[in-house]
Amino acid sequence: MLLLSCWPAAAAESDATAPPRGWGKTALGLGAGVLAAYAIHEGAHGAAAGITGTDMHWETGTYNQPLGFTENADRDTDGAVLHGAGLVGQALCSEVILAMDGIDKTSPFVRGIMLWNVINPVIYAFDYWFLHSSNQINDDGYQGDLAGVEHYAGEDTANTFAAATAALALWQGYRFWKVKDEAPESGASTVQLGVVPTPKGGAMLSFRWDF
């Protein structure tokens, strides 16, 4: 359902003379949005590590986790917060997009963010319950956000967290579907999200608020 919302919406009467957005540009915007949502997820882990004072190191993960981290939490609460922060960060990002009328819901970039914010929590929960690929617990340790939550807070907490984040993501996806064709009104305060290149060849998330 959400996949259908990623394609360009029909032009409004106010910009009927504007040239149609190309499919290449749309695909690029969607991809950039997905990458931005991925960065938000990982950035939330990093922020949680800083807030809790937990020693954390980034490293290249497996084929199904291109970027991972190791940590050494002093307290179980800190470890659970650190591992759960990524999915919580995505949920908060979705709520901001849904709540702010100034964010253009027709933007492929915004739709890409919402696409990954909805799909990722569902994939995590499904993997944790059935596949045990990204989320693994064995004698040598654990791998994956939900496995980390289980390690520090217990299996019941991890199951509840997985179900809650997946259900919330689907609910947010449904709410976004209902407003996916809404663009900011002319003259209204608007918020623009995007990705801009850096002088050293990287990229960063941009935020512009016109009011």
Side-chain angles (χ1 to χ4, degrees):
M1 180 175 67
L2 187 64
L3 285 171
L4 297 177
S5 74
C6 294
W7 305 119
E13 293 182 1
S14 59
D15 62 349
T17 58
R21 181 183 288 124
W23 289 110
K25 186 175 180 179
T26 299
L28 183 62
L30 285 171
V34 170
L35 289 176
Y38 180 85
I40 289 170
H41 178 104
E42 301 302 337
H45 287 306
I51 293 173
T52 60
T54 301
D55 185 30
M56 174 181 172
H57 300 279
W58 296 102
E59 61 181 23
T60 302
T62 63
Y63 71 95
N64 54 17
Q65 288 186 318
L67 183 64
F69 61 85
T70 58
E71 44 74 23
N72 185 22
D74 294 329
R75 297 178 297 180
D76 288 344
T77 302
D78 294 344
V81 168
L82 173 57
H83 283 275
L87 295 175
V88 172
Q90 287 190 261
L92 291 175
C93 172
S94 294
E95 285 300 325
V96 170
I97 291 174
L98 290 165
M100 297 190 69
D101 294 333
I103 294 180
D104 186 1
K105 310 299 191 298
T106 68
S107 164
F109 180 75
V110 173
R111 292 179 174 186
I113 292 176
M114 288 300 300
L115 178 65
W116 192 243
N117 283 353
V118 172
I119 290 178
N120 195 43
V122 175
I123 292 176
Y124 260 105
F126 187 81
D127 177 84
Y128 176 67
W129 289 327
F130 304 109
L131 301 180
H132 310 295
S133 178
S134 295
N135 292 274
Q136 301 177 10
I137 298 178
N138 49 50
D139 294 337
D140 297 329
Y142 52 91
Q143 173 184 297
D145 292 353
L146 295 176
V149 173
E150 177 181 336
H151 174 80
Y152 285 108
E155 185 175 357
D156 290 342
T157 299
N159 281 321
T160 301
F161 182 71
T165 52
L168 177 59
L170 292 173
W171 173 237
Q172 290 172 330
Y174 170 73
R175 289 158 58 201
F176 184 77
W177 172 263
K178 294 174 64 177
V179 300
K180 63 183 176 60
D181 295 327
E182 293 184 5
E185 296 180 1
S186 178
S189 175
T190 59
V191 176
Q192 299 179 11
L193 303 175
V195 174
V196 295
T198 62
K200 295 184 179 181
M204 64 180 180
L205 181 65
S206 66
F207 179 89
R208 176 178 174 179
W209 186 5
D210 297 323
F211 56 93

